[in-house]
Amino acid sequence: SAVISQKPSRDICQRGTSLTIQCQVDSQVTMMFWYRQQPGQSLTLIATANQGSEATYESGFVIDKFPISRPNLTFSTLTVSNMSPEDSSIYLCSVVTDLNTEAFFGQGTRLTVV
Amino acid sequence: AQSVTQLGSHVSVSEGALVLLRCNYSSSVPPYLFWYVQYPNQGLQLLLKYTSAATLVKGINGFEAEFKKSETSFHLTKPSAHMSDAAEYFCAVSDGPWGKLQFGAGTQVVVTP
């Protein structure tokens, strides 16, 4: 298993600003992902965080809006840039520790943009 | 591309009654299928997973699910609901073991006394 710590747990931000969310895992993991859960909706994959290289983004998500870093095997950040109220969501970090194991999720970051 | 459809956005069950949550998948390759639960203000917790082994999968908290290829279904059941089962449940599919998941819309379960 993996213990995932996400920071901050929640934040209220002004539109036009940026917020960086951190995801720290207690052990080295194979894969790290970022998901978005808009109010009352399901989870949507934003991107796969790749160690030492650019993240792989899903359709509808771009690096300029959601820059991601993964400097090592236990840490990743997601930045939500130039925020608007439509970015108000829960952002979740997910990791896979090894092949054929399930994905573990952090507690999420609840973001409100005003 | 894979996708999952969960029938029923809200389900209300009486305490002690059967819980049945429906999930149908669409995949061009043998899928990996998962059920996750999300309690209020918490992250997701894995209930169970199907990865091409036994078609009847037992998970935590008394839940189980049956993979039926002919029906492209992976319905979640629990014989007797507890108040603590009130939560949102997500079915998810992956075409590989790497955790890149496509989630269904979710089903909110309410348990009444």
Side-chain angles (χ1 to χ4, degrees):
Chain A
S1 65
V3 177
I4 304 169
S5 173
Q6 259 188 257
K7 293 181 181 179
S9 59
R10 59 178 62 229
D11 207 342
I12 301 174
C13 300
Q14 297 291 324
R15 67 178 65 200
T17 63
S18 298
L19 176 71
T20 295
I21 303 168
Q22 298 181 357
C23 176
Q24 177 73 55
V25 193
D26 67 340
S27 59
Q28 293 185 352
V29 297
T30 305
M31 307 288 284
M32 297 184 78
F33 306 91
W34 287 98
Y35 288 82
R36 180 177 72 181
Q37 187 177 21
Q38 293 178 298
Q41 297 191 31
S42 187
L43 286 82
T44 301
L45 180 64
I46 298 172
T48 303
N50 300 310
Q51 189 213 350
S53 64
E54 190 172 292
T56 304
Y57 291 85
E58 298 300 305
S59 176
F61 297 96
V62 295
I63 188 171
D64 290 346
K65 177 66 177 178
F66 297 102
I68 289 170
S69 76
R70 186 182 174 191
N72 56 50
L73 293 176
T74 64
F75 185 78
S76 177
T77 65
L78 167 73
T79 299
V80 186
S81 303
N82 188 24
M83 289 183 286
S84 66
E86 292 70 35
D87 294 319
S88 298
S89 298
I90 300 173
Y91 292 86
L92 296 107
C93 173
S94 172
V95 305
V96 174
T97 59
D98 204 352
L99 184 64
N100 286 332
T101 63
E102 66 266 28
F104 297 94
F105 286 81
Q107 297 287 77
T109 297
R110 185 179 295 272
L111 170 63
T112 302
V113 183
V114 298
Chain B
Q2 322 88 26
S3 65
V4 290
T5 301
Q6 290 183 243
L7 296 177
S9 59
H10 288 80
V11 169
S12 181
V13 298
S14 300
E15 192 174 17
L18 172 72
V19 179
L20 170 61
L21 305 182
R22 300 179 186 272
C23 173
N24 288 88
Y25 69 90
S26 170
S27 176
S28 59
V29 299
Y32 293 75
L33 292 160
F34 308 82
W35 276 100
Y36 283 87
V37 60
Q38 185 177 36
Y39 298 102
N41 300 313
Q42 295 189 29
L44 275 73
Q45 180 182 10
L46 181 72
L47 284 175
L48 48 81
K49 64 181 179 183
Y50 168 78
T51 57
S52 77
T55 56
L56 182 61
V57 181
K58 294 187 183 298
I60 62 171
N61 301 339
F63 285 94
E64 65 180 36
E66 186 172 8
F67 174 73
K68 291 187 176 180
K69 185 177 180 179
S70 60
E71 299 178 7
T72 60
S73 68
F74 190 57
H75 302 332
L76 181 71
T77 60
K78 181 174 180 178
S80 177
H82 295 165
M83 298 298 291
S84 60
D85 294 327
E88 184 142 27
Y89 293 78
F90 293 96
C91 182
V93 65
S94 173
D95 64 358
W98 297 110
K100 189 174 173 179
L101 298 169
Q102 181 75 36
F103 283 87
T107 299
Q108 184 71 45
V109 172
V110 174
V111 183
T112 57

